[in-house]
């Protein structure tokens, strides 16, 4: 397993975690994030088990205990995924999730990180089609992320408010338009903005 650990220089200084109900990764405001299995380490002769654990990590139906914590490297992707609340299926939004920003510079000397894209290429692991959207930017952290490394937390309303603020900045570029023409351009921007959220979770 250690042969596939990311070099420190390849781990972004900021990674993002969406905490949501039903996740196997536990969160505590005193200790931080903990994988469901905080002791498992795969030896060189357990490559098959290591590959299976990676596949299970990105399979919704799997309830296998995991030593990994899934992380996003792109904040917008994490926010969009959280706003979609895919863990709720067809039940509709509940706004009971949170976005956490992790400062990995506090962890690179102590924690082991893995890049999903590299694991898939090196180990020829297959993950479900539904999870393929995460291949480019997903990282896995082994076992724990201490609370000291979590430097920011946002609830759903704060995340959405930030997105609305970004949208209003976009509308500043419409100052040259007026009246019905400006309203039409704003509507176009809103449609594009909502479509991006829908397609990029």
């Amino acid at each position: 397993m250690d042969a596939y650990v990311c070099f420190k220089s390849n781990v972004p200084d900021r990674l993002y975690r969406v905490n949501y109900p039903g996740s196997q990764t536990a969160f505590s405001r005193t200790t931080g994030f903990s994988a469901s299995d905080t002791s498992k380490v795969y030896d060189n002769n357990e490559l098959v088990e290591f590959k299976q654990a990676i596949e299970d990590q990105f399979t919704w139906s799997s309830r296998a205990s995991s030593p990994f914590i899934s992380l996003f490297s792109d904040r917008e992707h994490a926010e969009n995924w959280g706003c979609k609340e895919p863990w709720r299926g067809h039940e509709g939004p509940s706004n009971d999730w949170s976005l956490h920003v992790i400062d990995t510079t506090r962890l690179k000397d102590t924690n082991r990180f893995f890049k999903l894209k590299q694991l898939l290429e090196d180990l020829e692991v297959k993950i479900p089609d539904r999870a393929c959207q995460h291949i480019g930017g997903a990282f896995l952290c082994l076992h724990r992320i201490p609370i000291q490394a979590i430097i920011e937390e946002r609830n759903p309303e704060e995340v959405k408010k930030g997105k609305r603020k970004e949208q209003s900045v976009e509308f500043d570029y419409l100052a040259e338009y007026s009246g019905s023409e400006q309203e039409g351009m704003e509507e176009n921007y809103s449609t594009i903005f909502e479509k991006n959220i829908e397609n990029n979770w």
Side-chain angles (χ1 to χ4, degrees), residues 4 54 114-124:
Y4 303 98
I54 297 167
F114 305 85
K115 187 172 184 178
L116 178 60
K117 183 177 181 180
Q118 200 64 49
L119 292 174
L120 299 188
E121 292 175 355
D122 292 347
L123 298 173
E124 299 183 350

Side-chain angles (χ1 to χ4, degrees), residues 2-201:
D2 284 346
Y4 303 98
V5 172
C6 269
F7 290 114
K8 295 178 185 179
S9 58
N10 292 336
V11 179
D13 289 344
R14 298 288 184 272
L15 290 174
Y16 308 89
R17 170 74 192 174
V18 174
N19 182 42
Y20 61 93
S23 172
Q24 289 200 62
T25 297
F27 175 69
S28 164
R29 296 191 180 281
T30 56
T31 59
F33 288 105
S34 300
S36 56
D37 185 339
T38 56
S39 61
K40 180 61 181 177
V41 175
Y42 297 94
D43 296 328
N44 293 334
N45 61 347
E46 294 181 298
L47 190 59
V48 172
E49 291 84 354
F50 180 44
K51 292 169 64 174
Q52 185 62 53
I54 297 167
E55 181 178 330
D56 290 342
Q57 184 73 13
F58 292 92
T59 303
W60 275 108
S61 58
S62 174
R63 304 315 298 169
S65 184
S66 173
F68 302 117
I69 301 169
S70 298
L71 302 166
F72 295 87
S73 60
D74 180 83
R75 181 168 187 148
E76 184 177 13
H77 188 181
E79 290 177 341
N80 289 343
W81 191 82
C83 287
K84 290 287 290 186
E85 300 189 32
W87 56 88
R88 290 186 57 79
H90 300 291
E91 294 182 17
S94 64
N95 291 325
D96 54 356
W97 56 276
S98 53
L99 175 75
H100 300 258
V101 182
I102 298 156
D103 180 0
T104 65
T105 64
R106 307 181 186 188
L107 303 174
K108 291 181 182 181
D109 290 331
T110 57
N111 289 50
R112 281 177 276 195
F113 291 92
F114 305 85
K115 187 172 184 178
L116 178 60
K117 183 177 181 180
Q118 200 64 49
L119 292 174
L120 299 188
E121 292 175 355
D122 292 347
L123 298 173
E124 299 183 350
V125 176
K126 303 295 183 183
I127 62 174
D129 291 342
R130 185 178 181 181
C132 287
Q133 61 179 304
H134 302 303
I135 290 176
F139 281 77
L140 299 176
C141 179
L142 188 69
H143 295 158
R144 295 183 176 88
I145 297 173
I147 195 68
Q148 293 82 2
I150 301 172
I151 59 174
E152 182 184 341
E153 178 181 347
R154 289 286 183 268
N155 62 38
E157 182 56 34
E158 290 170 330
V159 170
K160 294 171 185 176
K161 183 178 180 180
K163 287 187 170 296
R164 288 194 294 270
K165 185 176 181 180
E166 291 172 5
Q167 187 180 18
S168 68
V169 170
E170 289 180 347
F171 287 162
D172 287 343
Y173 293 100
L174 304 179
E176 62 185 279
Y177 301 97
S178 61
S180 60
E181 188 178 20
Q182 186 181 57
E183 291 177 1
M185 292 296 292
E186 287 181 358
E187 184 176 349
N188 287 340
Y189 267 109
S190 295
T191 300
I192 294 170
F193 179 77
E194 292 170 0
K195 193 69 175 176
N196 283 341
I197 290 180
E198 179 180 348
N199 291 339
N200 291 308
W201 63 269

